[in-house]
Amino acid sequence: MGNENKQESTVARWRLILGREAEQALSGYGEGGQLSLTDEELIMDAALAAIYDDTDGGGGTGSSSGRGKGAGTGHAALHLSKWLGDVRSYFPEDVVSIIQSDAMERRGWKQLLFEPELLAAVKPDIQLVGTLLSLKGKIPEKTKDTARLLVKALVEDLVKLLETDIRRAVTGALNKRQHSPLPSLSGLDWKLTIQRNLKHYDQERRMLIPERFFYFDRARRSKEWTVIVDIDQSGSMASSIIWASVIGSIFASIPALNTRVVVFDTEVVDLTEQCANDPVDMLFGIQLGGGTDIHKSVKYCEQFIEEPKKTLFIIVSDLYENGNQAGLVRRMRELRQSGVRTMTLLALSDEGKPSYDERLAAQLTRDGTPCFACTPALLPALVEGALKGQDLGELAKRLGAT
């Protein structure tokens, strides 16, 4: 009996994956030659069919049949609202994000972002917020407050995800350089304490009995390092921009860092103040799209480098440079030679390998600025390595950055 139930469940899953067209082919595997779906599976099937079944030549609304003229208002909007509720109720969170994205791409349901009632029902995720920011100039006034709340919810989630690790990485790199005579349990240097007291190991009791303890100096010096985050705001970088903005806001909240956050296309905009006060304001200040002049942005950022050997310069860009490429290479080489620690993040996201200018990336890497794609989870370790003066190229390889 257990095996039969398992088989029916497997067949039902395949039916949901393949759609109605596969029902006849799969029916032979069901009990008594029939394939039946539960009430819950029927609702899931209708929600998936609205997006993935080619029942209306590619149009679609939120109705269970997939037919209609888009979200709009009135009856069609009610269908779409119900569809959103069904998707969020019956599918896992990671799957909800994929279905929402496909709804906009396959069915053109960007109306999800234009009606406050519908937008309030959407699950905030990186891709959706990227789309929202790219369309923000078209969002009606009545929806702007809801849109801001959605972006704020995502930013808060990302800060919770990254803040502890980034703070630990920065304080670990900056504060554990010298020792203090003042005892502090949280600042105990276990490694040095064990090394210096090995001669006091008690063989009979099989125990190390330290005669002297060593403590790190935990005092934080204000603005000890300058961190500059220079972000490419071209449309292809949407996901990376969101992550970089959140990370920039975390840097700005750490007293030991003097943080600058700059975005660029063919023009350069300094968003340091907005990033420090409210990263949501910063995101709404970004204009996705346009050309790319990395050289101009690097030239602008140079004015904030007062102590090169205590400056970390991070470019977030796919390096498709439309400006002065030779000038960019020269400036980055000079920054490295002056002692600035530099890196280029070709992408800052959980997505696959990005498209980027491989020739320019190779040139920068040869000159000492490693270029790699990085997931947000790996960035704290890379920042810590940079502040400690480690070889970032080798560190990136060990961590699995590409």
Side-chain angles (χ1 to χ4, degrees):
M1 188 67 179
N3 289 335
E4 290 179 4
N5 290 336
K6 185 176 180 180
Q7 179 175 336
E8 287 179 15
S9 176
T10 301
V11 174
R13 285 177 177 272
W14 277 109
R15 163 62 181 78
L16 291 174
I17 293 169
L18 298 175
R20 288 195 186 96
E21 293 181 0
E23 187 161 340
Q24 185 175 356
L26 293 172
S27 61
Y29 295 94
E31 184 178 359
Q34 297 293 322
L35 174 61
S36 60
L37 299 178
T38 65
D39 290 344
E40 180 177 312
E41 288 168 343
L42 286 170
I43 295 173
M44 296 170 70
D45 182 49
L48 293 173
I51 304 302
Y52 302 106
D53 281 7
D54 191 17
T55 56
D56 63 351
T61 73
S63 65
S64 60
S65 66
R67 296 181 176 88
K69 298 289 185 183
T73 59
H75 191 58
L78 289 174
H79 277 308
L80 187 49
S81 182
K82 179 184 181 301
W83 177 84
L84 280 167
D86 290 343
V87 168
R88 295 195 68 173
S89 298
Y90 293 103
F91 293 90
E93 285 195 10
D94 54 342
V95 177
V96 171
S97 296
I98 295 170
I99 294 174
Q100 286 179 173
S101 176
D102 286 348
M104 288 188 289
E105 293 302 319
R106 295 170 65 97
R107 298 302 196 191
W109 288 356
K110 291 187 172 65
Q111 297 96 325
L112 287 173
L113 309 179
F114 296 162
E115 294 291 335
E117 295 81 6
L118 297 178
L119 188 58
V122 169
K123 177 187 178 295
D125 61 55
I126 291 284
Q127 192 166 5
L128 186 138
V129 168
T131 302
L132 179 67
L133 294 175
S134 69
L135 296 171
K136 68 178 185 291
K138 301 176 183 178
I139 295 175
E141 286 295 327
K142 64 179 181 179
T143 312
K144 285 185 177 179
D145 287 343
T146 308
R148 184 177 179 82
L149 288 175
L150 186 144
V151 175
K152 185 180 182 204
L154 177 70
V155 167
E156 289 175 348
D157 286 345
L158 299 186
V159 169
K160 289 178 185 175
L161 187 65
L162 293 175
E163 185 171 27
T164 299
D165 287 343
I166 289 178
R167 283 182 173 275
R168 185 185 297 120
V170 172
T171 56
L174 300 188
N175 294 341
K176 291 189 175 182
R177 294 184 173 187
Q178 55 187 4
H179 289 84
S180 167
L182 301 177
S184 167
L185 181 60
S186 63
L188 182 62
D189 184 346
W190 289 97
K191 184 177 180 181
L192 185 61
T193 297
I194 292 171
Q195 286 177 342
R196 295 289 178 87
N197 288 281
L198 284 174
K199 60 185 177 181
H200 304 303
Y201 183 76
D202 189 318
Q203 294 285 355
E204 292 184 5
R205 298 162 68 181
R206 303 183 70 179
M207 182 183 299
L208 184 68
I209 306 176
E211 288 192 356
R212 181 182 176 189
F213 292 86
F214 296 85
Y215 302 93
F216 289 117
D217 182 359
R218 306 299 292 173
R220 293 182 179 179
R221 285 171 284 175
S222 180
K223 311 302 181 189
E224 183 178 352
W225 272 73
T226 295
V227 175
I228 301 171
V229 186
D230 194 19
I231 308 169
D232 182 345
Q233 63 177 347
S234 56
S236 61
M237 300 294 294
S239 295
S240 297
I241 289 169
I242 295 168
W243 282 110
S245 300
V246 169
I247 288 164
S249 72
I250 296 172
F251 285 152
S253 71
I254 299 176
L257 302 181
N258 177 27
T259 304
R260 306 295 310 189
V261 179
V262 173
V263 298
F264 65 90
D265 43 33
T266 54
E267 300 299 327
V268 181
V269 181
D270 194 323
L271 294 177
T272 299
E273 185 175 342
Q274 293 93 320
C275 185
N277 295 334
D278 186 349
V280 177
D281 278 346
M282 178 187 164
L283 285 171
F284 276 99
I286 286 173
Q287 301 292 330
L288 290 175
T292 307
D293 194 335
I294 311 172
H295 173 258
K296 182 185 288 187
S297 72
V298 173
K299 181 180 179 181
Y300 173 84
C301 291
E302 285 178 345
Q303 66 184 296
F304 304 113
I305 301 174
E306 297 179 356
E307 195 173 350
K309 292 183 179 179
K310 291 216 171 171
T311 300
L312 173 60
F313 185 42
I314 304 172
I315 296 178
V316 184
S317 175
D318 52 19
L319 296 179
Y320 288 115
E321 169 70 311
N322 296 323
N324 185 346
Q325 193 169 117
L328 170 64
V329 170
R330 175 180 54 78
R331 285 185 183 277
M332 294 303 296
R333 184 185 300 128
E334 290 173 351
L335 287 178
R336 285 289 301 168
Q337 291 171 348
S338 71
V340 175
R341 297 174 191 181
T342 60
M343 71 171 90
T344 295
L345 303 180
L346 304 167
L348 184 57
S349 71
D350 290 312
E351 299 168 4
K353 186 176 180 179
S355 170
Y356 63 95
D357 188 324
E358 296 184 18
R359 188 187 65 79
L360 181 53
Q363 179 62 60
L364 292 175
T365 299
R366 283 194 295 270
D367 288 344
T369 297
C371 304
F372 45 81
C374 173
T375 65
L378 293 180
L379 188 62
L382 288 166
V383 169
E384 182 174 9
L387 296 177
K388 287 181 175 179
Q390 297 177 5
D391 185 319
L392 289 182
E394 290 302 316
L395 179 59
K397 289 178 183 178
R398 289 202 306 273
L399 294 173
T402 56

